[in-house]
Amino acid sequence: MPATPPAPTQPPSHQAASAPGPRTTPLSPDPALSWSASLPPQAGTPGNGRPVVSFGEPEVGYRERSWQLRIPPRIAAVAGAVVLGLGLIGGAVTGSWLIGDSGEDGGGDRFAQAGELWHSVPVNQLFPPTVDGQGAGPGGADRTWTRIAVAPDSGCTGAFDPLLRKALAPVGCERLLRATYTDATQSYVTTVGLLFTDADATAMRELDQRFTKEGLDKRTDLMPLPYAAKNSLAADFGARQRGSWTISVLTDAPVVAYAVSGWADGRAVDTPEPAAKAMEPGDTSPAAQAGLGNEAKGLADRVERALRKTVISPSEQPS
């Protein structure tokens, strides 16, 4: 028998270059801090030194390395089919989380993992110091938001108006995380919240169905309260300053995500509107013309995406 050719030498693994960390500013707590640690006092307001989110690029000079031995076409075809099959399986698993289907295998694990994030993930991973909102503004304009305050993790006592607290009571309150942002012009302020509940998947689906069927996310008497941090641009962001809001009951995680926006100058709003209505073409309300619906919806969506990404790849750190 002919001698068996030596196995091809496996090329060395390629390590991606580490992207430089964000510049340190008075607005950003230590990324290593978790929600169980105390935060340093926030100082100042964002200005010209605002940090910018950057995304990692492939390592400079990277070149694909070729095998030393020629692989017969038949073997290559089989290997390609295996890789393709694995890719389709992996894509299906990831996709099931993103579209809200927990899947039959491992769905319960992801649901449980999401419920534990409040005490195991650093502040900067769920609420980044800066958030890039490409196309999130009115007419598809870009937005950039800078975090100006982070509330200590807490329970829900005093965090919601009585009617909203009653509506959320069936799923309980394990922990509430909140942060307040301002836009690049410092004209608006928006509080984003993640309510981690005590509920299982069935209870979350029931609450989501109730919110949808009864339109609870559109009622002005069920608006979330903002987080008005002292000595910050949001110091006057109170209940009467709420201009637009959005609430999302997740069914693939024990979490209720929300955001509420208003003007940074502390002006009261007589006719607040839910974000979905304020973003409709032709709406002429003050909240719609100012883009407050886009502020609330844009930030809430991106924080929700960060939450999902963390569950899918808990070892990855944001750039």
Side-chain angles (χ1 to χ4, degrees):
M1 294 179 60
T4 303
T9 302
Q10 189 73 14
S13 60
H14 208 73
Q15 300 293 335
S18 300
R23 291 181 297 174
T24 302
T25 70
L27 298 176
S28 305
D30 184 355
L33 290 176
S34 66
W35 289 101
S36 59
S38 59
L39 289 171
Q42 301 288 335
T45 56
N48 295 331
R50 184 179 296 106
V52 178
V53 172
S54 61
F55 297 91
E57 298 291 341
E59 183 178 354
V60 177
Y62 173 82
R63 295 180 180 177
E64 184 177 357
R65 299 177 186 231
S66 60
W67 296 98
Q68 298 299 320
L69 296 178
R70 183 176 180 272
I71 302 176
R74 184 175 179 180
I75 297 178
V78 172
V82 173
V83 172
L84 177 59
L86 292 175
L88 292 175
I89 293 171
V93 172
T94 301
S96 66
W97 167 266
L98 293 176
I99 64 176
D101 179 8
S102 60
E104 296 182 357
D105 297 325
D109 292 339
R110 287 196 298 277
F111 190 93
Q113 289 170 12
E116 299 296 320
L117 293 180
W118 67 267
H119 62 70
S120 60
V121 176
V123 174
N124 287 351
Q125 193 163 338
L126 290 179
F127 294 139
T130 59
V131 177
D132 181 22
Q134 293 185 0
D142 293 339
R143 281 287 189 268
T144 299
W145 296 285
T146 301
R147 193 184 68 202
I148 58 177
V150 176
D153 66 311
S154 66
C156 293
T157 302
F160 299 109
D161 284 336
L163 285 179
L164 181 55
R165 183 171 65 247
K166 182 178 180 180
L168 297 173
V171 295
C173 174
E174 174 68 21
R175 264 303 187 268
L176 177 64
L177 310 183
R178 294 171 294 169
T180 298
Y181 289 79
T182 187
D183 68 309
T185 67
Q186 300 183 28
S187 299
Y188 315 111
V189 284
T190 302
T191 292
V192 190
L194 293 173
L195 165 61
F196 287 79
T197 74
D198 296 319
D200 58 17
T202 299
M204 294 303 295
R205 285 194 297 268
E206 290 175 351
L207 183 65
D208 176 59
Q209 291 170 1
R210 185 188 174 201
F211 263 72
T212 301
K213 182 178 179 180
E214 300 179 20
L216 301 186
D217 57 337
K218 298 177 177 61
R219 287 176 44 171
T220 55
D221 57 351
L222 295 177
M223 281 190 294
L225 285 170
Y227 172 60
K230 296 180 180 180
N231 303 318
S232 76
L233 196 63
D236 297 324
F237 189 23
R240 294 196 60 204
Q241 285 68 40
R242 294 174 291 184
S244 189
W245 76 99
T246 182
I247 302 177
S248 177
V249 180
L250 307 189
T251 57
D252 45 10
V255 175
V256 176
Y258 67 86
V260 56
S261 60
W263 277 275
D265 60 9
R267 74 181 75 175
V269 180
D270 296 326
T271 55
E273 282 190 343
K277 187 176 188 307
M279 294 171 64
E280 291 178 353
D283 193 319
T284 58
S285 69
Q289 292 183 333
L292 291 180
N294 297 81
E295 297 291 312
K297 182 65 173 174
L299 260 174
D301 283 353
R302 282 152 181 81
V303 168
E304 187 176 320
R305 291 176 200 171
L307 174 73
R308 285 189 161 105
K309 181 179 179 181
T310 300
V311 175
I312 296 170
S313 304
S315 62
E316 293 182 4
Q317 296 296 321
S319 57

